[in-house]
């Protein structure tokens, strides 16, 4: 029995069915959870629209005359909704095809081996909790004013706001800022501390932050927001500064201030399931302190990413089947689908430095990569961190075109313990963006071919 049908739960259900289990899944809302309905997929559908729009605007650079480019917000949102429906119905089909019994309703745990959904009590030998997370708006006056949005709300807008203030500089806030800015909204990001985008590499994060004003996104740092006020049609986001009270104004405000594990209906303390600040505690086999009860995904409050949730789903199922497997977080990719894209895996040079690890850094700019030049996408670079003694890849960080796709090579290298030399000895197709990864690996040895050594 799995409670929650998001990226963690539905993948766990399918994997368990593949391994021959009789599987039931409880979902109180739509299958696919946050990722498909209110997260990764709708934001990436909109990010693609933003990308097409930006490319169309500079079509003249490619010798294509395009005049009078206009957007139609209802069509943009309809496309996003269609993509979501298509993928949700795909998951529904997968449930049917794998003979997974989907119970519609709120799952309540009566005991480790008994779950109640609506009026039905369902016995189970193993239980996996995959109830996800929810937005956590700042607890400040004005948070409930009309026009103050969570990330869920902004994905349901019917009209493009003229201006938007984004509170918080999480990757989700930055992605949405990037999308709405491209669509024509005047965007201001308001943040207490400098935009670091952790766990992004510091240098890449800094370079990315420098691109924001050039794109037209204003960033206000040092703003510990204390209230939101409305005057007519205008919302003001207010904070104190040494010079006195300050504020920025916008038609709408997005609270991109993080998410917290969601366990509301579960009565965890009654069951004796241990938590830490709302997150369910598990061991390295993803089992809770109660035998036969596992927890996976955002409800663990750690790596709140869909691919980690799905990975944990597979690991927990195998452990439930007595095929012991530890969750291994050495190579977790993180991606930011903004303009330009950012992706990273493994340690940063600061972490290597702080940890006293002997390391070497190599970098290769996209401006020296033939494919990037043909694409007209030369901003950014690949950066690789390798162990100074044996050349093992410890980290890879990318800002630039298709960074989120390119990072897969770094993920695999770290997972397999590959060295820079092994990447160098691997033939990379020409002309492609992965050649930039190849050249960065060369920088760990004698030097990249397409960069002059100074
Ligand atoms: C705007 C946004 C953009 C994002 N973009 C990305 C991205 O690009 N890449 C990425 O990797 N991650 C992204 N994420 C994060 C990603 O969506 C989550 O990490 C992922 O959805 C976690 O999956 P989950 O299964 O743990 O939880 P969820 O997807 O939240 O699923 C939990 C499910 O459990 C159900 N549920 C809860 N309690 C009960 C109950 N008692 N009974 C029955 N059902 C219950 C809920 O209805 C929900 O469907 C994004 C998140 C947001 C908000």
């Amino acid at each position: 029995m799995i409670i929650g049908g998001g990226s963690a739960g539905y993948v766990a259900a399918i994997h368990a069915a593949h391994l021959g289990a009789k599987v039931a899944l409880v979902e109180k809302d739509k299958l696919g959870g946050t990722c498909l309905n209110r997260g990764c997929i709708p934001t990436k559908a909109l990010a693609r629209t933003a990308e097409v729009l930006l490319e169309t605007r500079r079509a003249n650079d490619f010798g294509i005359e395009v005049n009078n480019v206009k957007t139609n917000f209802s069509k943009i949102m309809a496309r996003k909704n269609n993509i979501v429906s298509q993928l949700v119905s795909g998951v529904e089909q997968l449930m049917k095809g794998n003979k997974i019994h989907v119970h519609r309703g709120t799952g309540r745990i009566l005991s480790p081996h008994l779950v109640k959904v609506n009026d039905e009590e369902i016995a189970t030998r193993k239980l996996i909790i995959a109830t996800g997370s929810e937005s956590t708006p700042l607890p400040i006056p004005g948070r409930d004013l009309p026009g103050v949005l969570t990330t869920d709300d902004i994905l349901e807008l019917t009209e493009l706001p003229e201006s938007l203030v984004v509170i918080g500089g999480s990757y989700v806030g930055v992605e949405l800022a990037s999308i709405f800015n491209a669509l024509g909204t005047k965007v201001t990001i308001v943040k207490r501390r400098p935009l670091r985008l952790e766990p992004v590499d510091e240098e890449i994060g800094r370079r990315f932050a420098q691109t924001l004003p050039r794109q037209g996104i204003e960033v206000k740092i040092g703003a510990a927001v204390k209230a939101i006020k409305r005057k007519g049609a205008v919302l003001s986001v207010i904070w104190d500064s040494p010079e006195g009270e300050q504020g920025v104004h916008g038609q709408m405000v997005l609270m991109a201030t993080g998410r917290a594990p969601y366990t509301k209906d579960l009565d965890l303390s009654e069951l004796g399931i241990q938590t830490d600040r709302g997150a369910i505690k598990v061991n390295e086999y993803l089992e809770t302190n109660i035998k036969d009860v596992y927890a996976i995904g955002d409800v663990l409050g750690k790596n709140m990413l869909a691919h980690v949730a799905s990975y944990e789903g597979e690991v927990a199922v195998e452990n439930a089947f007595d095929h012991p497997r530890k969750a291994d977080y050495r190579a977790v990719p993180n991606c930011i689908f903004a303009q330009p894209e950012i992706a990273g895996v493994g340690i940063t040079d600061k972490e290597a430095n702080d940890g006293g690890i002997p390391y070497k850094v190599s970098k290769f700019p996209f401006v020296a990569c033939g494919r990037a030049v043909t694409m007209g996408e030369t901003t950014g670079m690949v950066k690789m961190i390798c162990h100074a003694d044996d050349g093992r890849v410890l980290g890879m960080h990318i800002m630039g075109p298709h960074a989120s796709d390119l990072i897969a090579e770094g993920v695999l290298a770290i997972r397999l313990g590959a060295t820079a030399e092994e990447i160098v000895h691997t033939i990379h197709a020409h002309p492609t963006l992965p050649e930039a990864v190849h050249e960065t690996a060369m920088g760990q040895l004698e030097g990249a071919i397409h960069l002059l050594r100074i």
Side-chain angles (χ1 to χ4, degrees):
M1 162 71 75
I2 295 154
I3 305 181
S7 307
Y10 88 74
V11 170
I14 295 171
H15 193 51
H18 285 172
L19 293 180
K22 188 175 169 206
V23 188
L25 182 139
V26 194
E27 175 52 61
K28 64 176 182 164
D29 193 353
K30 289 191 186 141
L31 284 174
T34 306
C35 172
L36 258 64
N37 296 289
R38 306 172 288 280
C40 330
I41 296 299
T43 51
K44 265 80 261 180
L46 295 178
R48 177 68 186 139
T49 294
E51 210 173 70
V52 172
L53 178 61
L54 293 174
E55 291 203 349
T56 310
R57 281 195 191 131
R58 60 188 191 111
N60 278 308
D61 297 352
F62 294 79
I64 304 164
E65 285 179 23
V66 180
N67 300 309
N68 229 352
V69 180
K70 282 189 195 151
T71 55
N72 179 327
F73 193 65
S74 22
K75 279 195 182 166
I76 291 170
M77 295 307 257
R79 175 178 181 274
K80 182 266 296 174
N81 293 340
N82 286 339
I83 290 167
V84 169
S85 312
Q86 182 188 332
L87 294 180
V88 170
S89 91
V91 174
E92 281 162 3
Q93 295 307 318
L94 287 170
M95 294 294 114
K96 277 192 199 128
N98 283 291
K99 300 193 172 37
I100 293 160
H101 196 130
V102 178
H103 297 263
R104 299 285 179 174
T106 299
R108 291 175 208 283
I109 309 173
L110 301 180
S111 78
H113 299 105
L114 197 63
V115 171
K116 188 169 180 184
V117 189
N118 305 321
D119 292 331
E120 197 180 349
E121 289 185 7
I122 305 151
T124 183
R125 284 177 58 196
K126 306 279 180 175
L127 176 63
I128 298 181
I129 302 172
T131 48
S133 61
E134 61 179 343
S135 295
T136 48
L138 286 183
I140 51 170
R143 60 181 267 189
D144 296 323
L145 285 169
V148 180
L149 314 170
T150 62
T151 59
D152 294 357
D153 305 325
I154 200 167
L155 294 169
E156 298 306 324
L157 287 180
T158 51
E159 276 177 35
L160 183 69
E162 268 173 33
S163 51
L164 176 72
V165 180
V166 178
I167 305 179
S170 65
Y171 78 92
V172 171
V174 166
E175 282 183 7
L176 286 162
S178 190
I179 291 166
F180 279 85
N181 174 59
L183 294 180
T185 300
K186 168 83 196 92
V187 178
T188 311
I189 299 177
V190 170
K191 224 184 146 306
R192 190 202 294 239
R193 283 188 286 272
L195 202 64
R196 268 284 291 116
L197 296 171
E198 267 158 342
V200 168
D201 173 81
E202 225 172 79
E203 180 185 8
I204 289 197
R206 201 172 51 244
R207 286 184 181 223
F208 174 80
Q210 285 164 358
T211 71
L212 293 176
R214 290 205 291 274
Q215 297 178 42
I217 299 174
E218 201 180 337
V219 184
K220 299 264 184 200
I221 302 297
V225 175
K226 64 172 188 180
I228 304 169
K229 291 184 184 161
R230 174 177 275 287
K231 200 168 179 198
V234 178
L235 288 165
S236 301
V237 173
I238 296 166
W239 65 93
D240 286 325
S241 78
E243 296 81 44
E245 200 172 76
Q246 289 207 21
V248 284
H249 315 294
Q251 187 191 342
M252 291 189 181
V253 173
L254 170 67
M255 288 254 203
T257 43
R259 296 179 69 81
Y262 181 86
T263 56
K264 264 182 200 145
D265 314 297
L266 297 182
D267 243 338
L268 295 177
S269 54
E270 184 103 333
L271 293 155
I273 296 177
Q274 285 174 357
T275 56
D276 178 17
R277 281 167 289 166
I280 297 182
K281 280 169 78 172
V282 288
N283 62 19
E284 48 199 351
Y285 299 96
L286 306 180
E287 196 170 17
T288 67
N289 59 308
I290 306 288
K291 192 174 170 341
D292 294 337
V293 180
Y294 297 80
I296 54 177
D298 278 11
V299 78
L300 303 182
K302 287 197 180 111
N303 295 292
M304 289 197 178
L305 292 167
H307 42 277
V308 175
S310 302
Y311 167 80
E312 290 170 342
E314 290 176 20
V315 172
V317 162
E318 284 173 33
N319 288 316
F321 269 77
D322 293 327
H323 303 315
R325 182 173 156 196
K326 289 183 187 174
D328 175 355
Y329 297 104
R330 278 172 307 163
V332 175
N334 57 76
C335 306
I336 304 181
F337 298 80
Q339 305 288 336
E341 275 190 16
I342 300 179
V345 62
I347 61 171
T348 62
D349 51 353
K350 182 175 183 306
E351 283 164 347
N353 210 14
D354 292 350
I357 301 168
Y359 69 99
K360 180 174 177 186
V361 177
S362 57
K363 301 175 198 173
F364 186 80
F366 280 108
V367 74
C369 168
R371 177 67 169 155
V373 176
T374 64
M375 291 166 69
E377 302 265 359
T378 51
T379 304
M381 63 169 170
V382 180
K383 180 170 175 181
M384 195 180 282
I385 291 137
C386 292
H387 201 288
D389 298 339
D390 57 15
R392 253 177 317 124
V393 181
L394 302 175
M396 194 187 291
H397 307 277
I398 307 174
M399 178 172 90
H402 294 275
S404 59
D405 298 316
L406 293 175
I407 202 65
E409 188 164 358
V411 177
L412 198 63
I414 293 177
R415 174 74 181 79
L416 300 181
T419 62
E421 188 176 50
E422 283 167 314
I423 296 181
V424 171
H425 290 179
T426 306
I427 299 175
H428 288 64
H430 175 74
T432 62
L433 294 172
E435 284 177 298
V437 174
H438 190 228
E439 295 259 27
T440 315
M442 284 179 172
Q444 292 282 336
L445 309 177
E446 293 81 22
I449 298 290
H450 294 93
L451 267 191
L452 275 182
R453 280 196 284 179
I454 305 166

